[in-house]
Amino acid sequence: MSADVAGFLKRIPGWSGAAYEPLGGGTMNRSWRVTDGDRRAVLKLDAGPREKPYNSRAEEADAQREAQAAGLAAEVLWHSEQGILTEWLDGESLSRRDLTQPPMLDSIAAALRCLHALPALGHVYDPRAWGAHYAERLRLLNAPPGADVDAALELLRETRLPGPAVPCHNDPVAGNLVARRPPGSEAVTVIGFIDWEYAGNNSALFDLAGLIAEHELNPEQRRRLTSAYFGPNTVPDADIDSAIAVYRALVLLWEATRAATTGSAAP
């Protein structure tokens, strides 16, 4: 893979010969920190073709450019069907502990409101399509059926999240949120998001649900986040609960697929 990285960098004007080091990555791509003098960037290369429901790299780049124009993401420097190079977003990725702080929840809510107010993207994030994708993957892997998997698939087929579809990150977990402490200030402010692979039009509740469910926010923290996001407007708890259920169903299916993939590769 190192030769591939060097080869890709040669194709990008101004980055040929840059140094790089692995950052790790997911099942569909690997990532590297790229350095050239005082310039820093992140290069992601795909392990294979990206097919629906995954975003193409062009769709990811479009979403990130819209967010970057609003000050919510790093600049996209280059992309192709096989990868993407973006500027390094200076700051610190958040942790689960950061999300226990009320001011941080306020800052996250403000960043999400800004994101969700951007013009609609040209592509969507459809939880039902992802459910069908995971179901097909499990079938191809000959994974044994399970009541929990069947229940998750049924929930995704039957649930429609309320509200208009707006630009969403769709994976705003703590590690994908970057914050910075202004000089001389005690406040830590969210300045943007990284990893836009799943970005697309969706219910705004899905981004909020991901934060609540992934980091197990307690009722007080949940109220702080949603109150900061909606202000005087109120959203029924049942709608937020529904979005949380959709998020958890997708996580369950992702974990089942990953377990089946690991099992199929085991000796």
Side-chain angles (χ1 to χ4, degrees):
M1 183 64 78
S2 294
D4 291 340
V5 177
F8 269 90
L9 290 173
K10 287 181 180 179
R11 295 165 51 184
I12 306 173
W15 289 91
S16 180
Y20 53 89
E21 58 181 318
L23 288 172
T27 57
M28 287 295 292
N29 69 79
R30 294 182 63 188
S31 302
W32 289 264
R33 186 205 316 261
V34 182
T35 307
D36 182 53
D38 59 356
R39 298 184 301 162
R40 292 187 298 166
V42 176
L43 175 68
K44 296 181 181 180
L45 297 178
D46 299 322
R50 296 173 70 88
E51 300 178 351
K52 291 297 183 183
Y54 290 95
N55 285 341
S56 68
R57 286 300 183 185
E59 290 171 330
E60 177 185 350
D62 286 344
Q64 186 162 342
R65 287 190 179 108
E66 289 289 338
Q68 189 269 334
L72 295 172
E75 181 181 356
V76 177
L77 302 173
W78 168 91
H79 75 275
S80 74
E81 293 182 352
Q82 297 170 280
I84 189 169
L85 180 75
T86 65
E87 278 191 336
W88 186 272
L89 188 60
D90 285 325
E92 297 182 4
S93 292
L94 300 186
S95 67
R96 166 67 183 89
R97 183 177 180 181
D98 292 321
L99 269 65
T100 65
Q101 307 302 315
M104 181 58 72
L105 294 173
D106 295 344
S107 184
I108 293 170
L112 286 175
R113 283 201 313 272
C114 184
L115 171 61
H116 297 160
L118 294 176
L121 299 171
H123 56 284
V124 302
Y125 178 95
D126 185 354
R128 289 168 293 171
W130 277 100
H133 167 75
Y134 290 132
E136 178 64 8
R137 288 287 300 145
L138 290 169
R139 184 188 70 81
L140 293 174
L141 291 166
N142 294 315
D148 53 349
V149 168
D150 290 341
L153 291 170
E154 181 65 18
L155 184 145
L156 292 173
R157 284 191 291 265
E158 297 297 325
T159 304
R160 304 291 185 272
L161 297 182
V166 297
C168 289
H169 185 277
N170 295 311
D171 192 23
V173 296
N176 288 339
L177 295 165
V178 177
R180 186 181 299 153
R181 188 189 306 275
S185 172
E186 293 296 324
V188 179
T189 303
V190 172
I191 60 169
F193 304 85
I194 60 175
D195 292 344
W196 291 84
E197 284 93 341
Y198 298 101
N201 299 329
N202 194 6
S203 168
L205 292 181
F206 189 81
D207 275 344
L208 294 167
L211 284 162
I212 294 168
E214 186 71 24
H215 303 294
E216 300 178 339
L217 300 189
N218 63 35
E220 181 180 353
Q221 293 161 350
R222 167 174 160 165
R223 283 193 299 271
R224 181 71 180 234
L225 176 67
T226 56
S227 295
Y229 182 90
F230 292 108
N233 301 316
T234 58
V235 171
D237 282 342
D239 288 347
I240 299 174
D241 289 339
S242 180
I244 290 172
V246 167
Y247 179 86
R248 285 177 171 159
L250 288 169
V251 170
L252 185 149
L253 293 170
W254 177 82
E255 289 176 343
T257 303
R258 188 171 186 180
T261 302
T262 302
S264 65

